[in-house]
Amino acid sequence: MSGTLSADEAEALRRRNRALEDEVARLRSALATARAEAATEAPPRDETAFARAFWQAPARIDAILPEPDPARIDDSEFRRLADHLPILCWLARSDGYLYWYNRRWLDYCGTTQAAMAGWGWQSVHDPEALPRVTAVWAASIATGEPFEMVFPLRGADGVFRPFLTRIVPLRDASGRVVRWFGVNTEIGAQVRAEAALRTSEMRLRRAQEAGGVGVFSIDLDWNIIHATPHFFRLYGLAEQETLPVDAVARLVIPEDAGFVSQWADRGAGLTDADVAYRIRRADDGAERWIARRGAIERDAGGQPIRFVGAVRDITDHKSAEQRAEANQRELRLITDALPVLIAFIDWDYIYRFANAAYQDWFFRPAAEIVGRDVRELLGPAAFELRRPYVERARAGEAVRFEIPWPHQDGRHRDAEIRYLPRRGADGAVDGFHVFVQDITDRKRVEAALLSEVTQRTRERDRLWETTNDLMGTAGLDGFLKTVNPAWTHMLGWSEAELLGRPFLDIVDPADHVEMAEVVGRLSAGETVMGFVDRVLTRAGERRVVMWTAVPDPGTGLFYIVGRDLTEQRRVEEQLLQAQKMEAIGQLTGGIAHDFNNLLTGIVGSLDLMQTRIQQGRTDAIERYARAALSSANRASALTHRLLAFARRQPLEPQPTAANPLITGMEDLLRRTLGERIHLEIVTAGGLWLTLCDPHQLENALLNLAINARDAMPEGGRLVIETGNAQLDRAYTRQNAGVNEGAYVCVSVSDTGTGMSPEIAARAFDPFFTTKPLGQGTGLGLSMIYGFAKQSDGHVRIYSEPGCGTTVKLYLPRYHGAAPPETGESGLVELHRAERGETVLVVEDDPVVRDLIVEVLGDLGYTALQAADAEAGLAVLRAPGRIDLLISDVGLPGGLNGRQMVDAARPDRPDLKVLFITGYAENATFGNGHLEPGMRMMTKPFPVEALAARVRAMIAGLD
């Protein structure tokens, strides 16, 4: 029957089942044994990786130790050790990125780990030394060489102190730099702060147990493996029921093949119980370390029948062991590099660790220190001195004290000693760490600094009390906070009065706007220097004070120092007046020659005319009259130059198109320059209008052309060019007295001899000329300068010897519409009165007044006259027809011509006024501020021009 087993078959099946049950039992037993052994290999619960590394105890590590992680530097034992190091220390990655500082570092600098991370350390360095420090640090990073340098670091109190900084590279087994360890120690006579130690990630993780165990058995007769699934995963093999031993042996790296047992050895029972070897996994070729533990199973006769064991991946363990060895070397390197004595003394007073500094303090190597009793090493007297502190440390208290510790040669030395207790797993103190630092220089420096600070404080107090400068602090709220006695001495206000009121109360109201701008700049963190305002004294006087103000960031305060410039300004004004008097003296000597020549021509011509009339000879009178008139016109032109230089020439500014004005002068300029000089006029398209007196602009261009001609005696090239210009703030800051904005620029350039910088600097000075005596008065460029300034413009000169000269004239842009063009009316036909109009003439000079009255009478006007402002005002206030007022600007009697007109406005609001003047005393005249219905003529003037202007104004055409 197909479903029934025979007796033999049933018995065979039972034997196979029992064999399978035995095999499973053996595998379970081997697995339990492996787990128990792994548990025994784990480190004790009270033993840390750091402790094993520190005391050089052998450690079994079952996991890869990760790279240093600042977030994990929180172990209580490690933190206490590192944060109580009496020097500054830190760690950086291999690329120089600083990621951790000890407590001493942070306390000294008054900062946090977050603020200092990366490159934050640069904020506590002296800015002058920082470039050199970063250069040396960068070189060390690039070459892997240690770093040693002295530079200052700023403490939390703001004081810079010099530190000796040592940085050593920490390498892995291959020699690659994996991180850097740095320490900062005060040295020499400049030592100030405590140094501290905090080591590079000296705390190792606890070794982890193996991730999994693969259990196996080898049939020694058939040389095949029976194994659990994890066994196959460890070797990267596919899970299968049986596996030839050779399939595993082929995965072993050849160099480690000797650690794998051979078939014959296994059969003879000679296989090692525990071995470790490397393999290349079958699936991905990764190299892994395998630990194998097993035993020979024998039959009742003692013959080997199978090999049973377990395997586990110990790659992480191997890496951890290598790291532990590296960390142990690193710890020793770090502690030996520190100029601080570091040790550990156990409960029985025995040294268990000592760094290389013991060579300097006890004059014997650290190897001779470890294992000795501290009482023996120090001696009875020295130990008794330390006993109270030792007992406190053994009781669990962190102790700090200072004692004298002389050098071997007897020289004095002060030592700072710290005892830091160490607790075991049960919390009991099992010993204490020792940190000893030489503080001799620090104490010396502290004493010196205290003396220096005391001296400087006394000096500062003396300066505060005795200086004549105003010193103090003020707040952005507008109130003074502190003032020195100079405030009361200079201004008369008491300290209470100054501090109890807004500062603006004692500042001249005219300076309030600028003062507000200065406070705004200070609130933005800007230092303000050279600000000048006027401060009111208690007696009502104004003192001119120049201020320097420096903000104190984050406090809302700023420090101020003010210097009284009142007397200096008064002296400057006196000097300016003296210079003006000197200029008048130069005028007397420099212009007298020209005026005498002109007066000779006028007086001589008039004398000849009078003589010829007496003789009855009239044929040459016209020639003498033209000569006299020519000399008079030249005298008038010279007077206009003087007034333009003084910026008092009455101008008649009007919207002016510079391009047609210049091209209209082309023929005149060519005749003036002569055939040797090539004239080129370059006019810009879209040129703006400018507001100026066109006649004075023509005169300025003619003067510049004449100067250029004289600079090119052998001929050359003259270029007159126009263009639009925008003068920005940067330009105006470099050129005092210039307002930023839009200008029309007229440039005159020549290829002449040029000028040296010294001559160019004086070119605009009055009466300064390089021409021979009698060939120039030195007023040409001064007149141009005065015209530009009076027109609210600007003029610059550029010149080099042998390279020619360029003069640029900047005139303000006019934003209105261009005036309509009008043709010349001509002055051949005199403009007579049409309906008997009445004109009032107010002029203090009887000759001029009679002349104007006679001309008006000849033209048919009714002419009234007055000799001063009061008489003229009486006529204006009286009833009667007055179609036009002709008035001089300067009049006797207390009122000038403009004031007289203003007083008469209520009675005659529509009165038309023609001012005549040769000297405008009020800046209102000549700057384009005349009211509608007002015009101005400059003396002297032709009678035809006067007649035309009177007719045009009465008719409403001007």
Side-chain angles (χ1 to χ4, degrees), residues 666-905:
E666 184 172 359
D667 290 341
L668 174 62
L669 292 172
R670 291 189 185 280
R671 288 195 301 269
T672 303
L673 295 172
E675 296 180 354
R676 290 188 175 186
I677 297 176
H678 173 70
L679 173 64
E680 183 177 347
I681 298 177
V682 181
T683 57
L687 189 69
W688 297 326
L689 294 176
T690 181
L691 186 66
C692 70
D693 187 325
H695 300 296
Q696 292 303 319
L697 177 56
E698 290 176 342
N699 194 19
L701 291 174
L702 185 59
N703 270 282
L704 290 174
I706 293 173
N707 285 346
R709 180 198 64 189
D710 295 342
M712 298 183 288
E714 303 299 327
R717 181 167 172 260
L718 178 68
V719 179
I720 301 178
E721 188 174 1
T722 63
N724 298 325
Q726 192 76 33
L727 302 184
D728 56 15
R729 179 170 296 182
Y731 183 90
T732 58
R733 284 180 177 176
Q734 297 176 358
N735 297 272
V738 182
N739 298 321
E740 63 177 300
Y743 292 82
V744 172
C745 177
V746 180
S747 173
V748 180
S749 303
D750 64 60
T751 58
T753 56
M755 292 180 280
S756 66
E758 294 76 17
I759 293 178
R762 299 188 59 192
F764 294 121
D765 290 352
F767 319 116
F768 176 77
T769 178
T770 59
K771 298 177 182 179
L773 183 64
Q775 294 186 18
T777 61
L779 291 175
L781 289 177
S782 297
M783 181 275 293
I784 296 171
Y785 183 83
F787 161 64
K789 292 299 182 181
Q790 197 172 357
S791 301
D792 294 329
H794 171 56
V795 63
R796 283 292 303 274
I797 186 168
Y798 307 89
S799 185
E800 292 184 20
C803 298
T805 301
T806 296
V807 177
K808 291 187 176 182
L809 184 62
Y810 295 90
L811 298 172
R813 178 185 180 183
Y814 176 71
H815 292 276
E821 296 184 2
T822 58
E824 294 291 339
S825 60
L827 298 177
V828 177
E829 185 70 27
L830 296 180
H831 299 268
R832 302 183 57 81
E834 297 180 353
R835 291 178 294 276
E837 293 90 341
T838 301
V839 178
L840 172 61
V841 179
V842 182
E843 169 62 61
D844 60 307
D845 189 313
V847 175
V848 177
R849 184 173 68 247
D850 292 343
L851 175 63
I852 296 174
V853 169
E854 183 175 352
V855 170
L856 292 174
D858 291 344
L859 294 174
Y861 295 99
T862 300
L864 307 177
Q865 57 180 305
D868 54 38
E870 289 189 4
L873 188 58
V875 176
L876 290 171
R877 287 175 174 172
R881 176 180 178 180
I882 298 179
D883 296 283
L884 177 67
L885 168 65
I886 300 176
S887 175
D888 194 357
V889 174
L891 293 173
L895 295 178
N896 61 30
R898 179 60 183 267
Q899 293 169 335
M900 177 188 68
V901 171
D902 292 341
R905 279 298 187 196

Side-chain angles (χ1 to χ4, degrees), residues 3-86:
T4 303
L5 295 174
S6 65
D8 293 337
E9 290 175 340
E11 181 61 21
L13 179 60
R14 283 194 294 272
R15 286 197 303 270
R16 286 196 296 271
N17 286 340
R18 284 195 299 271
L20 182 59
E21 289 174 356
D22 292 340
E23 181 67 15
V24 170
R26 283 193 300 271
L27 292 175
R28 287 177 175 172
S29 175
L31 178 60
T33 299
R35 288 177 175 171
E37 291 172 346
T40 61
E41 294 175 2
R45 292 181 178 275
D46 61 345
E47 183 180 8
T48 65
F50 174 80
R52 291 196 304 276
F54 196 90
W55 305 121
Q56 303 180 2
R60 300 181 67 87
I61 303 174
D62 299 326
I64 295 178
L65 296 181
E67 289 297 324
D69 181 1
R72 295 297 302 267
I73 305 179
D74 57 359
D75 181 89
S76 59
E77 179 180 355
F78 176 74
R79 185 170 59 251
R80 287 198 308 273
L81 174 63
D83 284 343
H84 282 78
L85 289 175

Side-chain angles (χ1 to χ4, degrees), residues 329-542:
R329 293 192 302 271
E330 177 182 317
L331 175 63
R332 172 57 65 177
L333 177 64
I334 291 172
T335 56
D336 286 347
L338 297 175
V340 178
L341 189 150
I342 302 174
F344 179 77
I345 301 173
D346 66 13
W347 185 259
D348 297 323
Y349 301 101
I350 302 301
Y351 280 100
R352 297 303 179 187
F353 177 84
N355 71 336
Y358 270 81
Q359 179 71 39
D360 297 331
W361 291 79
F362 289 92
F363 311 105
R364 62 186 67 190
E368 297 182 10
I369 302 296
V370 176
R372 298 189 62 176
D373 191 303
V374 65
R375 292 166 293 192
E376 174 191 350
L377 183 67
L378 293 176
F383 181 77
E384 287 302 319
L385 184 63
R386 295 165 172 77
R387 181 185 291 277
Y389 305 107
V390 170
E391 297 305 323
R392 288 166 57 187
R394 285 161 55 92
E397 179 183 352
V399 180
R400 175 188 175 279
F401 61 97
E402 298 177 4
I403 62 172
W405 191 323
H407 290 274
Q408 188 178 25
D409 59 6
R411 288 182 294 114
H412 173 77
R413 174 168 56 180
D414 292 310
E416 179 188 77
I417 302 177
R418 292 176 181 266
Y419 293 155
L420 178 64
R422 190 184 78 169
R423 298 180 183 274
D426 58 355
V429 176
D430 61 2
F432 57 92
H433 298 282
V434 179
F435 302 95
V436 183
Q437 182 183 10
D438 186 343
I439 60 171
T440 308
D441 291 334
R442 188 187 74 188
K443 294 178 71 69
R444 185 184 303 115
V445 171
E446 286 175 349
L449 287 176
L450 178 60
S451 175
E452 182 178 353
V453 168
T454 302
Q455 178 64 23
R456 290 185 178 181
T457 300
R458 287 197 296 266
E459 292 175 356
R460 185 199 63 186
D461 291 343
R462 286 197 297 270
L463 176 64
W464 177 270
E465 295 290 337
T466 60
T467 182
N468 292 325
D469 291 339
L470 306 180
M471 303 177 68
T473 58
L476 296 176
D477 57 1
F479 283 81
L480 292 167
K481 305 303 180 184
T482 59
V483 293
N484 69 332
W487 291 75
T488 300
H489 298 158
M490 181 188 301
L491 305 177
W493 304 101
S494 68
E495 181 177 351
E497 290 173 324
L498 290 166
L499 301 183
R501 60 196 299 187
F503 182 59
L504 281 179
D505 286 359
I506 63 171
V507 175
D508 191 320
D511 296 329
H512 282 188
V513 174
E514 291 186 68
M515 176 64 72
E517 293 178 356
V518 168
V519 173
R521 292 166 59 188
L522 290 168
S523 64
E526 180 181 351
T527 296
V528 178
M529 303 179 65
F531 169 67
V532 178
D533 67 358
R534 289 158 293 182
V535 181
L536 305 177
T537 68
R538 189 181 185 89
E541 298 177 351
R542 284 169 170 76

Side-chain angles (χ1 to χ4, degrees), residues 251-295:
L251 300 177
V252 178
I253 290 179
E255 292 83 353
D256 294 348
F259 296 111
V260 181
S261 61
Q262 302 299 315
W263 190 357
D265 293 335
R266 289 191 295 271
L270 301 177
T271 302
D272 293 332
D274 296 307
V275 296
Y277 50 83
R278 291 169 295 165
I279 67 166
R280 293 197 183 277
R281 288 174 54 95
D283 51 359
D284 56 12
E287 181 178 311
R288 308 294 293 178
W289 275 93
I290 299 295
R292 188 220 67 194
R293 171 171 290 185

Side-chain angles (χ1 to χ4, degrees), residues 160 171 222 281 382 560 565 595 631 669 834:
F160 281 97
R171 306 177 185 273
W222 298 97
R281 288 174 54 95
I560 54 176
L565 301 182
F595 264 116
S631 296
L669 292 172
E834 297 180 353

Side-chain angles (χ1 to χ4, degrees), residues 564-642:
D564 187 358
L565 301 182
T566 308
E567 294 303 323
Q568 178 180 331
R569 291 295 174 88
R570 184 176 295 115
V571 171
E572 289 175 353
E573 291 176 359
Q574 292 174 352
L575 177 61
L576 179 60
Q577 183 63 28
Q579 291 173 341
K580 289 182 178 179
M581 295 304 295
E582 181 182 356
I584 292 175
Q586 293 178 5
L587 171 63
T588 303
I591 210 69
H593 178 270
D594 287 349
F595 264 116
N596 286 333
N597 287 341
L598 296 173
L599 290 175
T600 299
I602 296 171
V603 173
S605 296
L606 292 176
D607 285 343
L608 287 174
M609 289 173 63
Q610 187 176 15
T611 300
R612 294 294 183 266
I613 292 173
Q614 292 174 354
Q615 294 173 348
R617 297 169 55 186
T618 59
D619 55 329
I621 289 179
E622 184 178 355
R623 179 164 58 87
Y624 299 143
R626 283 198 303 270
L629 184 59
S630 174
S631 296
N633 287 335
R634 288 166 58 196
S636 173
L638 186 56
T639 304
H640 278 263
R641 288 189 180 186
L642 291 170

